[in-house]
Amino acid sequence: MKRRDFLQTFFSLFVKGALLSTAGYMYAKYIEPRQLTVRRYELVHPLIPKSFDGCRLLQFSDVHLGYHYTVDHFQRVVKRMNDLDPHLICFTGDLLDEPNKYEHVDAIASLLATLHAPLGKYCIYGNHDHGGYGTNIYKEMMENAGFRLLVNEWVRVRQGNEQIVIAGLDDFMLGQPNFAKTVKQLPKETYTIALIHEPDLVTQASVYPFHLQLSGHSHGGQIQLPWIGPLVTPPLAKQYVEGFYDVQQLTLYVNRGLGTTRMPFRFLTPPELTLFTLKAGL
């Protein structure tokens, strides 16, 4: 190859590579983080009562408001959640990225208060909710918005004379989680949903009488590559990253979350709302 031809080829490849890198950067920062997906699944189990057949449970997680995630953006997501018409709403932690530095606490609490779920709204702490001196800030926000904050405890959700249970564990990284306290006096033969922020705790949770564990924390890795998968996941989200897993008798679902943290990018891991429809099994 002549020197001139070599330089032309090199320059052409360089320009194409630069354009491709720029396009990838723009997509991962400005496009995919705004491409909200709604994933819909049916959950069938023999302990789900007939009166809960068709009940819609909406999970959202890991908003990280304040880190490249605005009030206006969240307002649009809240509208989308209400459009899904859930009976139950569960939030699995990490509302604010840095609670003690966030300036729009009242605005977010007001938005959360507009979420409608006739069978209740439930939430747990994530590590960012405790971090940044956020424990009381988050607690006040969620309670003012009509959410029941579950900290190593459980509640009954009733339909007529039938019930299911929702349990919530305190965050494992910065809270004081206690499985034994969480399941104390838990009713037997009752379909029980456990809200646990970090998914890798499923190995511990699977020895307790839970039937479904809902988690977040992983963000799906935020950046995944074809045939490789997620490049980086946080502690306690190394083994279970997104979607469904069966661990002994327990079904785990890991939500990819809505926001980002540390890096404002998503690639092949679009933000997610998850709508589960409960089905009474035989």
Side-chain angles (χ1 to χ4, degrees), residues 22-55:
T22 301
Y25 173 88
M26 298 294 287
Y27 173 81
K29 185 172 182 180
Y30 297 109
I31 297 177
E32 186 166 305
R34 299 295 181 262
Q35 291 186 325
L36 180 66
T37 60
V38 179
R39 307 184 86 177
R40 304 167 188 261
Y41 302 102
E42 289 188 352
L43 295 172
V44 182
H45 196 279
L47 289 180
I48 294 176
K50 290 183 178 180
S51 62
F52 282 85
D53 189 88
C55 176

Side-chain angles (χ1 to χ4, degrees), residues 203-235:
T203 54
Q204 298 181 43
S206 64
V207 303
Y208 295 96
F210 302 132
H211 304 98
L212 173 68
Q213 175 180 323
L214 298 181
S215 296
H217 186 56
S218 71
H219 300 204
Q222 282 192 200
I223 297 175
Q224 294 196 24
L225 296 181
W227 304 291
I228 295 176
L231 296 182
V232 180
T233 55

Side-chain angles (χ1 to χ4, degrees), residues 253-271:
Y253 186 83
V254 186
N255 181 290
R256 291 193 300 256
L258 293 171
T260 60
T261 190
R262 299 187 184 277
M263 298 183 299
F265 303 110
R266 280 186 178 269
F267 188 74
L268 301 182
T269 57

Side-chain angles (χ1 to χ4, degrees), residues 48 76-77 83 99 102 132 156 194:
I48 294 176
R76 292 191 291 271
V77 173
D83 289 344
Y102 193 67
R156 303 175 193 268

Side-chain angles (χ1 to χ4, degrees), residues 244-255:
F244 280 105
Y245 303 87
D246 290 319
V247 182
Q248 297 185 44
Q249 89 292 344
L250 180 57
T251 297
L252 165 66
Y253 186 83
V254 186
N255 181 290

Side-chain angles (χ1 to χ4, degrees), residues 58 60 71 74-86 89 106-118 120-121 141-147:
L58 175 66
F60 71 108
V71 175
F74 190 55
Q75 185 174 16
R76 292 191 291 271
V77 173
V78 166
K79 182 181 184 303
R80 185 74 179 100
M81 286 193 274
N82 278 329
D83 289 344
L84 294 171
D85 195 24
I89 294 177
D106 291 340
I108 296 303
S110 296
L111 282 175
L112 289 168
T114 67
L115 287 171
H116 180 66
K121 303 185 292 188
M141 286 179 69
M142 300 309 283
E143 290 179 349
N144 287 344
F147 278 74

